[in-house]
């Protein structure tokens, strides 16, 4: 690169060296994470905004490596996307989340939906609907209790997206648009997508009580969703005042630290299922 004022050589600082070294280390370690049982899911409750009843739970993946410690998905999901490892990883997450939800139902707890994040590589997979169907059959979870979260940025290829969403919809599962409002919003296509709900991004929710602009955006998303026959869930709710605003605008569901941070399956069961 010549960006540095005519300098012919790319200069690698020790920092860059260790970064790329770390990346390579992580790539290799990640590949063994499934067989080494280092992946786990945490669960964050989703509750009805009016009744505060538990209605769902989002499964969030974590990687607990013996040397690296607990690595955030913000770090290893993009890396997995790059290397293609996201396909087996995504399959593991989906299977584990469905199994866990089925086990809770079999234990007699009131059934709730489990929301699973899909990555863009998974969404562009040819046989996604077949894969999802196979996992539902294998785990015995009824399709209505699975919710797939996809983001707007995955749906740039509109015709392909319409087809995939139709196939998923036909399975009887639910579909939510995650981080709604932050991506490339194509409102024009929203009406053509077979989906069930919009999930309002945390960045809007965090300022609803002190930014009238964010408040109007959130209010508008809720009204639009309802007019299109869609549900709305707000993420990242941390404060009572945020919840009050959302309830006053008829938001259907919410999740966030106000109710709970993501929990281990065991803690989620103790704290949310045992007394629901
Ligand atoms: P996301 O789907 O937007 O998930 C919400 C993130 O916000 C989670 O971070 C969650 O722990 C955090 N969060 C929840 N409530 C609050 C709150 O009240 N305040 C604040 N400040 N944060 C809150 P996490 O678990 O670190 O996940 C980060 C991202 O990694 C997720 O963002 C999602 O895009 C991705 N991810 C997580 N699990 C998976 C997975 O299994 N597959 C794929 N493809 N992506 C995943
Ligand atoms: Ca999500
Ligand atoms: Ca989200
Ligand atoms: Ca988000």
């Amino acid at each position: 690169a010549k960006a540095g004022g005519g300098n012919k050589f790319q200069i690698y600082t020790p920092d860059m060296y260790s970064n790329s070294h770390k990346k390579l280390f992580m790539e290799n370690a990640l590949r063994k994470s499934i067989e080494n049982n280092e992946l786990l899911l945490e669960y964050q409750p989703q509750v009805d905004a009016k009744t505060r009843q538990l209605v769902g739970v989002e499964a969030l993946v974590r990687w607990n490596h013996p040397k690296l410690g607990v690595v955030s998905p913000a770090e290893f999901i993009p890396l997995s996307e790059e290397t293609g490892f996201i396909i087996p990883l995504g399959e593991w997450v989906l299977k584990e989340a469905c199994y866990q939800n089925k086990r809770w139902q079999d234990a007699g707890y009131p059934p709730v939906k489990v929301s699973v994040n899909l990555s863009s590589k998974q969404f562009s997979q040819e046989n996604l609907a077949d894969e999802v169907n196979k996992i539902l059959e294998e785990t015995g979870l009824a399709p209505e209790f699975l919710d797939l979260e996809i983001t707007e940025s995955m749906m740039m290829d509109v015709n392909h997206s319409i087809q995939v969403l139709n196939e998923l919809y036909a399975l009887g599962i639910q579909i939510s648009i995650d981080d709604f409002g932050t991506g490339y919003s194509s409102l024009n296509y929203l009406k053509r997508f077979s989906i069930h709900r919009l999930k309002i991004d945390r960045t809007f929710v965090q300022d609803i009580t002190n930014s009238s602009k964010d408040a109007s955006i959130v209010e508008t998303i809720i009204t639009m969703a309802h007019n299109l026959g869609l549900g709305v869930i707000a993420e990242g709710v941390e404060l009572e005042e945020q919840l009050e605003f959302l309830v006053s605008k008829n938001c259907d569901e919410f999740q966030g630290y106000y109710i709970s941070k993501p929990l281990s399956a065991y803690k989620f069961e103790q704290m949310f299922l045992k007394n629901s």
Side-chain angles (χ1 to χ4, degrees):
K2 281 194 117 188
N7 193 337
K8 234 172 143 183
F9 303 100
Q10 173 92 44
I11 295 167
Y12 288 96
T13 64
D15 207 42
M16 287 164 80
Y17 170 77
S18 66
N19 276 342
S20 64
H21 187 74
K22 185 181 178 200
K23 194 176 157 191
L24 202 64
F25 178 82
M26 277 183 53
E27 263 176 51
N28 287 322
L30 199 50
R31 222 167 284 143
K32 293 177 223 140
S33 61
I34 295 179
E35 59 201 75
N36 290 349
N37 283 315
E38 292 163 1
L39 296 180
L40 57 128
L41 295 182
E42 285 193 337
Y43 296 90
Q44 188 176 36
Q46 301 173 327
V47 303
D48 183 288
K50 292 221 165 73
T51 66
R52 305 219 184 163
Q53 280 223 357
L54 185 75
V55 288
V57 56
E58 180 173 7
L60 295 153
V61 70
R62 273 92 183 87
W63 175 27
N64 190 1
H65 183 268
K67 287 225 175 65
L68 300 169
V70 179
V71 186
S72 156
E75 212 171 331
F76 69 87
I77 293 289
L79 187 61
S80 310
E81 284 260 345
E82 240 177 80
T83 63
F85 183 67
I86 193 72
I87 297 296
L89 183 142
E91 195 184 317
W92 183 89
V93 169
L94 194 57
K95 208 178 276 180
E96 178 65 21
C98 289
Y99 264 127
Q100 184 57 263
N101 201 21
K102 179 70 163 87
R103 282 195 291 269
W104 282 327
Q105 292 184 6
D106 288 348
Y109 298 121
V112 295
K113 64 180 174 342
V114 65
S115 299
V116 176
N117 294 283
L118 276 199
S119 79
S120 98
K121 273 237 172 66
Q122 283 176 284
F123 190 69
S124 25
Q125 230 183 323
E126 250 346 295
N127 54 351
L128 177 63
D130 291 339
E131 288 295 321
V132 171
N133 194 35
K134 217 166 67 192
I135 288 174
L136 288 171
E137 280 176 355
E138 192 182 329
T139 60
L141 184 71
E144 68 210 88
F145 298 116
L146 174 64
D147 170 50
L148 294 184
E149 296 194 359
I150 56 180
T151 63
E152 295 159 279
S153 54
M154 297 178 193
M155 305 191 291
M156 302 291 269
D157 181 345
V158 174
N159 288 324
H160 179 257
S161 301
I162 289 173
Q163 192 201 317
V164 176
L165 291 172
N166 283 341
E167 286 173 16
L168 293 172
Y169 199 95
L171 293 178
I173 65 167
Q174 304 195 34
I175 296 161
S176 302
I177 308 289
D178 201 1
D179 302 341
F180 187 77
T182 61
Y184 172 84
S185 293
S186 45
L187 296 183
N188 185 30
Y189 298 117
L190 207 50
K191 59 175 184 191
R192 297 173 58 196
F193 289 148
S194 310
I195 55 172
H196 295 77
R197 75 177 66 69
L198 303 182
K199 190 166 191 179
I200 303 174
D201 191 66
R202 177 163 65 85
T203 52
F204 299 115
V205 173
Q206 74 190 0
D207 288 327
I208 38 181
T209 53
N210 46 42
S211 152
S212 60
K213 287 182 179 166
D214 284 327
S216 340
I217 290 171
V218 167
E219 184 174 1
T220 304
I221 294 175
I222 295 171
T223 305
M224 179 185 67
H226 287 159
N227 288 343
L228 290 169
L230 304 173
V232 202
I233 179 167
E235 71 174 12
V237 176
E238 296 180 356
L239 306 168
E240 173 73 39
E241 305 86 80
Q242 295 166 339
L243 179 59
E244 276 165 16
F245 177 88
L246 291 164
V247 170
S248 77
K249 302 303 177 196
N250 288 314
C251 186
D252 303 302
E253 302 170 11
F254 75 97
Q255 81 185 72
Y257 296 165
Y258 181 71
I259 289 291
S260 171
K261 64 180 183 139
L263 302 167
S264 69
Y266 176 79
K267 276 200 177 149
F268 177 78
E269 178 175 346
Q270 299 300 313
M271 294 175 65
F272 288 92
L273 293 172
K274 287 236 153 107
N275 44 39
S276 67

